[in-house]
Amino acid sequence: MYRRCMKSSEKVRFVRNTFQGALFLHLYLTDLLQMRGRSMSCTSKCEFRSKYAEIFLNCGVRKQEMAFSKAQTQAIMHKDGPMMVLAGPGSGKTTVITHRVQYLTKEYGIDPGDILVITFTRAAAEEMRERYEALTGGGSRVTFGTFHSIFFRILKLAYRYTADNIVREEQQMQFVRELAQAGGLEPEDENEFAASILSEISSVKGERIALEHYYSKNCPDAVFRQLYAGYEEKMRRAGLIDFDDMMVLCLELFTERKDILSAWQRRYRYILIDEFQDINRLQYEIVRMLAKPEDNLFIVGDDDQSIYRFRGAKPEIMLGFERDYPGAGRILLDVNYRSTEEIVAPALRLIGENQKRFSKAIHTTGRHGKNVITKLWQDPGEENLAIAREIQLYLQSGVRPGDIAVLYRTNAGPRFLMEKLMEYNLPFRTRDTVPNLYEHWISRNILTYIRIAMGSRAREDILQVINRPKRYISRDAMPDETVSFEKMKAFYAEKDWIAERIESLEGDLRAIARMSPLAAVNYIRQGMGYDEYLIEYAAFRRMRPEELLETADELKESAAGFKTFDEWFAHIDAYKEELLRQAAQRRTETDAITLATMHSAKGLEFPIVYILDANEGITPHSRAMLDEDMEEERRLFYVAMTRAKTRLHVYAVRERYHKKAEVSRFVWEYLGRDGDSR
């Protein structure tokens, strides 16, 4: 490194001949400019930067490398020992990681085969590899991979596992569905139930929770434990492992076989981890073992962007890194190269409300733009219409559709917006599967009631709703493919109370047949007790009833726009066809408006961003009950805000489905105002 004791000629050779020297010069000149900055005129500063650039170019340093900030340069030049790099939104963390790997090999002479770079997705690993190879001009023996790919490589060599031993997602779903059926469970949506149970199984394994101490969020605890045990048994018999098993087996292997651990420690002497805030406890324990004894662990992440607690991610792991490694360095990449000052400042006000975080002073490159555009609309219909019209104006002014994104809290968020975009013939694509409202099990139940009222007697239709709400009517009472209510009543001739319920149902169906779509939905929900059924089902699934009732409210809102059932059903069919057409088009459409959940928007950026439905109960979500839940929701909103480069629209509504809606506390926080003062 550069030393004051160097002779002038040695200093010149050091700077000219090494990338290390050039980067050190960058640090030196940056400090010098900062010290003199206040007393220097604008002309003098420009002349200083011009000479500075000339020196760099003469040293063979590219303009990209000249543009490194002081913090980026320090991170790139780090060699040994643990280091935590706090990388805020748009701070160039990928550039730092790839250049640091290059620096390790080129300037420090580290064997590329000794370097391991871990990311969380295959796409991120591939992007990192491509960026690095573009930087170095070709292939390399540096290992880029996900946690799962690295852990599986270790298990493959130790236990001779093959790809056939890894369970497929559909197999996992099938296992849980079979177990639910065998246990007499009748979840309304089998796939949703299976996915939820699998998520909980993953949490138990990933967080190493004793099963007897785990409290399920989806069903009674005894039921969950039976499902867990049954799933593990099916996996064992099939000779399969899931992704969480990979981690558990790796930890056990390293704990029991110190010789194998030592071999892998020698194999990977330098470990870099991207998006460290998303790590779970089990992954962290394995990485800590792998990094010993040298502890050359270089972690890059942002605790303010930790948004995957439902997957086991623990921001407290990053917050405790310096406690685990007392000698660790800390570097803050404190420049946001993405967004304007008018976007960054309110986003920082928002995230500053979180208590458990690293305090960060984030700056911009000095670009300015419009303030965050915050608007309150009467209802979702008015909100969606405004967005469609505004996007239309943006496109007419020359903005590309691909430069615009609309973000929302859950994948059901854009249902009606999509209808409005279709109406305005605006091209869009979704990053998440947006469920068709009319195919949701609640909608199917209500629409089936209406079909029966219109004359259907298909056994499939009757079975779907006959005990929703509970009428205690057996399948045996409906032996034929076409159901007869008279035969059903005859079946219960000796049980008058059931026969009376069948007669009451017949009367309800005759009444529905004479109603408008809106009146029919209301009657099914209130007059026939369907809402009561939803409340009971929510209790079984340990859900808030509002999560189910809102879907029924959405269907009610849709029905209000039609006079007859035929008109409404024709719209439902046309909407389904349009969704299929849009899906096919989106596979080839490259320039389209992006619709994405806040989660799936992470890592992306757009010149113009809309945040939809910034209301209490939506964002923050109604499920956020604990302090840590609320902090996670605030981080999610922060991620959404910082996707915007130049324009950010945040929209809320006064009412949803004829009920008063409160503006999200996050809006008042980024505005710097007390929500009670509105």
Side-chain angles (χ1 to χ4, degrees), residues 72-86:
Q72 287 176 321
T73 304
Q74 290 174 326
I76 291 168
M77 293 177 63
H78 175 73
K79 183 175 183 286
D80 295 325
M83 171 63 74
M84 176 172 64
V85 178
L86 297 175

Side-chain angles (χ1 to χ4, degrees), residues 416 437-438 442-443 446-447 450 516-526 531 548-562 568 572 656-659:
F416 291 136
L437 168 64
Y438 307 110
I442 292 174
S443 298
I446 293 174
L447 293 172
I450 294 173
S516 69
L518 175 60
V521 173
N522 280 333
Y523 187 82
I524 293 166
R525 294 180 61 185
Q526 306 299 329
D531 275 11
L548 301 179
L549 294 172
E550 185 159 301
T551 299
D553 287 340
E554 286 187 56
L555 189 71
K556 174 183 168 181
E557 193 77 8
S558 171
F562 302 91
W568 192 26
I572 292 170
R656 291 177 63 84
Y657 315 122
H658 308 288
K659 301 172 186 174

Side-chain angles (χ1 to χ4, degrees), residues 387-389 391-392 395 421-422 424-428 582 593:
I387 291 173
R389 286 175 172 174
I391 289 177
Q392 192 176 53
L395 300 188
L421 295 177
M422 292 174 188
Y424 276 70
N425 200 30
L426 296 170
F428 67 89
Q582 289 277 343
I593 303 154

Side-chain angles (χ1 to χ4, degrees), residues 423-443:
E423 181 183 327
Y424 276 70
N425 200 30
L426 296 170
F428 67 89
R429 58 187 174 193
T430 58
R431 286 187 59 85
D432 316 84
T433 299
V434 179
N436 184 343
L437 168 64
Y438 307 110
E439 293 179 352
H440 191 284
W441 64 266
I442 292 174
S443 298

Side-chain angles (χ1 to χ4, degrees), residues 467-676:
N467 286 311
R468 293 168 174 81
K470 196 71 175 175
R471 298 184 178 94
Y472 300 96
I473 297 173
S474 168
R475 289 172 172 264
D476 297 337
M478 297 168 275
D480 303 322
E481 289 303 311
T482 300
V483 175
S484 165
F485 282 109
E486 292 303 317
K487 288 183 179 179
M488 199 185 303
K489 286 185 287 187
F491 184 88
Y492 288 106
E494 297 181 2
K495 294 184 178 180
D496 292 345
W497 63 279
I498 295 182
E500 288 173 4
R501 294 189 177 197
I502 297 171
E503 287 183 355
S504 177
L505 174 60
E506 288 183 283
D508 289 333
L509 293 171
R510 287 192 295 270
I512 291 170
R514 299 188 296 268
M515 296 177 181
S516 69
L518 175 60
V521 173
N522 280 333
Y523 187 82
I524 293 166
R525 294 180 61 185
Q526 306 299 329
M528 297 175 65
Y530 188 77
D531 275 11
E532 293 177 11
Y533 166 73
L534 292 180
I535 293 168
E536 291 174 3
Y537 183 75
F540 170 75
R541 290 291 308 278
R542 298 190 172 183
M543 304 167 67
R544 295 179 72 254
E546 289 78 9
E547 294 181 50
L548 301 179
L549 294 172
E550 185 159 301
T551 299
D553 287 340
E554 286 187 56
L555 189 71
K556 174 183 168 181
E557 193 77 8
S558 171
F562 302 91
K563 294 180 179 179
T564 68
F565 294 133
D566 288 339
E567 288 178 2
W568 192 26
F569 283 8
H571 166 78
I572 292 170
D573 290 339
Y575 178 70
K576 182 179 180 180
E577 290 300 315
E578 182 63 15
L579 282 182
L580 293 172
R581 190 187 70 79
Q582 289 277 343
Q585 182 178 322
R586 286 194 294 276
R587 284 193 284 269
T588 57
E589 180 67 68
T590 57
D591 191 17
I593 303 154
T594 296
L595 306 183
T597 62
M598 295 176 179
H599 281 103
S600 67
K602 188 172 178 295
L604 305 179
E605 60 181 38
F606 305 88
I608 301 166
V609 169
Y610 285 84
I611 295 178
L612 192 66
D613 296 332
N615 288 95
E616 290 288 309
I618 297 177
T619 176
H621 199 278
S622 56
R623 289 194 297 264
M625 308 297 272
L626 305 175
D627 289 345
E628 56 258 36
D629 299 329
M630 192 57 66
E631 295 217 340
E632 176 101 346
E633 290 288 317
R634 189 174 285 109
R635 291 192 293 267
L636 189 56
F637 202 91
Y638 174 74
V639 167
M641 292 183 72
T642 54
R643 300 311 93 194
K645 297 169 72 173
T646 57
R647 295 280 184 91
L648 175 59
H649 301 253
V650 180
Y651 289 173
V653 296
R654 291 187 177 89
E655 65 176 41
R656 291 177 63 84
Y657 315 122
H658 308 288
K659 301 172 186 174
K660 184 181 179 182
E662 297 291 333
V663 174
S664 171
R665 69 193 72 188
F666 301 153
V667 172
W668 306 114
E669 288 171 0
Y670 77 67
L671 289 173
R673 293 166 49 190
D674 184 349
D676 295 332

Side-chain angles (χ1 to χ4, degrees), residues 98-109:
T98 53
H99 278 79
R100 190 207 174 215
V101 174
Q102 182 197 34
Y103 202 82
L104 286 172
T105 59
K106 185 176 179 181
E107 300 301 325
Y108 293 135

